[in-house]
Amino acid sequence: MLNQTVKTLAGFVVSAGLFSGAAFAGGHGAQAEVLHWWTSGGEAAALKVLKDDFAKNGGEWKDMPVAGGGGDAAMQTLKARVVAGDPPTAAQIKGPSIQAWDDEGVVGPPYHVDEVAKAENWDSLLSSQVANHMKCDGFTKYCAAPVNIHRIDWFWANKKVLDANGISMPTSWDEFNAAARKLQSAGIIPLAHGSQPWQDATVFEAVALGIGGNDFYKKVFVDADMSAMSSPTMIKVFDQMRTLKGFTDEGSPGRDWNVATGMVMEGKAAFQIMGDWAKGEFTNAGMKPGIDFYCLPTPSDHGYLYNVDSFIFYSMDGQSKIKGQKLLGSLMMGKNFQKVFNLYKGSIPARLDVPMDEFDMCAKGSAADLNYSAMTGGLQPSFAHGMTLSLATKGAIQDVVTEHFNSNMSSKEAAKRMADAVQDTL
Ligand code: BGC
């Protein structure tokens, strides 16, 4: 295996895997149409690593971007394509939707990427939790490949703004509320937020994890437990959402997440609550953690909300596309690819054997916290990013969350409506 490395200005090593994925190198004639929603600056920089690798290995890449953070729009386009009998060669997707598509009979057999996974022994490279998310046919065969692990429950903050106002990173929600009030009276927007349903849901799940705790989170978002949904704890979660709403600015509704990150980068706003793809934006602008910005998990009892970006490989006709799928799978799971891609993306590698020494303090913290929370019950799948629950149940929760956030609905009413809406989807 030959790895050619080139240092970029940011110090990252590019050309992650020239001829990587030994078993499936030489993708001459490989073709792939790749559906994804990575259109922000940081996201595009990360995706370019994969595009370049694919081309270097002889593949022909057809880009199919569907803009829209969180991927709700991409999932609609994907559905239309699959239902029309014309799925893309590879599509960005997450969680139980992978197995749901398999249940429709459009993924396999044969599961071509499973041949790559067996040859490269992916089972030994991934935690069983991540591996299972990638498997079809009753969790026996790989039909998708993971590229990373994103953490959702983060505060991002502008260091200068915090320092100038004598504020340190909050370690409880009360501390956050007090800091936000102080900033607000100093004329600074405390919370940069784009009120789109998926962003409201992203904040909501971090608040639910923090205020409700790990067991509560699991009951609601993994077990869809009705009594937890309409419980007094859920009412408290909605109360905190109402408080947070008061810390956002008038321009918040409809704003894209990366525009909100830009407000923190420029110092127009102090904080953002967002997954660590936000760090990809800071990094892409040359900003450094601890120097230009702060990262800290939102307050919880060692909780960790995870989200694995992955690509599904549907049943395909045509050797060039099957070759494309195998090459993509092999490249995505390449050791050096997982390092370089994640340095840009803000996430951490899905592979367990990638050294973390070139990663920044946020990523190192994320990797350490993941291990700790996995042992202590805090590691939970993100509902807002499709790692748990059916799409219908996720949509039902998200709709109520965003309706509450953007109206005067009481917390009690929101909790009740959530339980009712979820019941209808089960
Ligand atoms: C994905 C990230 C992406 C983010 C914003 C999340 O659901 O996992 O990769 O950067 O949405 O679009």
Side-chain angles (χ1 to χ4, degrees), residues 136-218:
C136 288
D137 201 19
F139 299 101
T140 61
K141 296 196 177 67
Y142 282 88
C143 56
V147 291
N148 66 6
I149 299 175
H150 270 303
R151 182 179 195 165
I152 312 298
D153 47 323
W154 285 108
F155 281 137
W156 306 96
N158 182 299
K159 181 175 185 297
K160 245 191 221 150
V161 171
L162 258 55
D163 292 356
N165 288 278
I167 288 170
S168 35
M169 286 299 271
T171 56
S172 70
W173 287 99
D174 284 346
E175 250 178 68
F176 176 80
N177 295 343
R181 286 190 190 104
K182 192 172 173 190
L183 288 158
Q184 209 158 34
S185 50
I188 295 157
I189 301 167
L191 186 64
H193 181 65
S195 188
Q196 296 172 341
W198 76 272
Q199 292 188 64
D200 296 338
T202 298
V203 172
F204 179 75
E205 66 179 10
V207 171
L209 179 75
I211 290 189
N214 303 328
D215 289 347
F216 173 78
Y217 183 94
K218 181 173 175 296

Side-chain angles (χ1 to χ4, degrees), residues 34-39 47 51 61 63-66 74 92 311:
V34 184
L35 187 148
H36 63 88
W37 67 90
W38 286 334
T39 54
L47 183 64
K51 285 183 181 171
W61 177 291
D63 209 33
M64 173 79 193
V66 183
Q92 189 185 349
F311 286 81

Side-chain angles (χ1 to χ4, degrees), residues 24-317:
F24 295 88
H28 192 67
Q31 284 182 343
E33 184 194 10
V34 184
L35 187 148
H36 63 88
W37 67 90
W38 286 334
T39 54
S40 79
E43 292 173 334
L47 183 64
K48 189 172 180 302
V49 181
L50 184 61
K51 285 183 181 171
D52 288 353
D53 265 7
F54 193 64
K56 274 173 207 139
N57 282 276
E60 197 184 308
W61 177 291
K62 186 171 169 206
D63 209 33
M64 173 79 193
V66 183
D72 290 346
M75 288 307 96
Q76 281 179 12
T77 304
L78 178 62
K79 188 171 176 189
R81 288 282 305 264
V82 181
V83 169
D86 178 31
T89 326
Q92 189 185 349
I93 194 171
K94 283 184 296 199
S97 299
I98 296 173
Q99 289 78 32
W101 275 124
D102 189 38
D103 291 344
E104 299 292 320
V106 291
V107 185
Y111 300 92
H112 293 293
V113 166
D114 191 56
E115 289 169 35
V116 183
K118 292 244 158 55
E120 297 178 357
N121 203 2
W122 291 5
D123 273 348
S124 71
L125 302 174
L126 299 168
S127 68
S128 55
Q129 197 163 357
V130 170
N132 278 337
H133 282 303
M134 304 300 131
K135 289 183 180 176
C136 288
D137 201 19
F139 299 101
T140 61
K141 296 196 177 67
Y142 282 88
C143 56
V147 291
N148 66 6
I149 299 175
H150 270 303
R151 182 179 195 165
I152 312 298
D153 47 323
W154 285 108
F155 281 137
W156 306 96
N158 182 299
K159 181 175 185 297
K160 245 191 221 150
V161 171
L162 258 55
D163 292 356
N165 288 278
I167 288 170
S168 35
M169 286 299 271
T171 56
S172 70
W173 287 99
D174 284 346
E175 250 178 68
F176 176 80
N177 295 343
R181 286 190 190 104
K182 192 172 173 190
L183 288 158
Q184 209 158 34
S185 50
I188 295 157
I189 301 167
L191 186 64
H193 181 65
S195 188
Q196 296 172 341
W198 76 272
Q199 292 188 64
D200 296 338
T202 298
V203 172
F204 179 75
E205 66 179 10
V207 171
L209 179 75
I211 290 189
N214 303 328
D215 289 347
F216 173 78
Y217 183 94
K218 181 173 175 296
K219 271 193 198 143
V220 174
F221 299 108
V222 179
D223 307 337
D225 175 318
M226 287 304 139
S227 57
M229 254 176 236
S230 52
S231 65
T233 306
M234 186 59 90
I235 294 173
K236 280 193 202 147
V237 173
F238 276 112
D239 284 348
Q240 176 62 18
M241 290 301 284
R242 178 65 68 242
T243 303
L244 291 181
K245 168 82 178 183
F247 300 144
T248 63
D249 67 317
E250 280 181 359
S252 166
R255 176 188 286 139
D256 284 334
W257 68 272
N258 52 322
V259 175
T261 310
M263 290 168 65
V264 176
M265 288 175 8
E266 287 165 30
K268 279 194 196 148
F271 291 98
Q272 182 180 21
I273 299 171
M274 189 45 65
D276 42 22
W277 46 91
K279 198 189 70 189
E281 300 300 299
F282 286 102
T283 310
N284 197 42
M287 296 175 77
K288 299 212 163 15
I291 298 173
D292 307 302
F293 67 94
Y294 289 125
C295 58
L296 195 76
T298 54
S300 72
D301 181 16
H302 298 285
Y304 185 117
L305 297 181
Y306 76 91
N307 160 17
V308 180
D309 279 321
S310 49
F311 286 81
I312 187 171
F313 302 103
Y314 289 94
S315 279
M316 275 296 127
D317 287 333

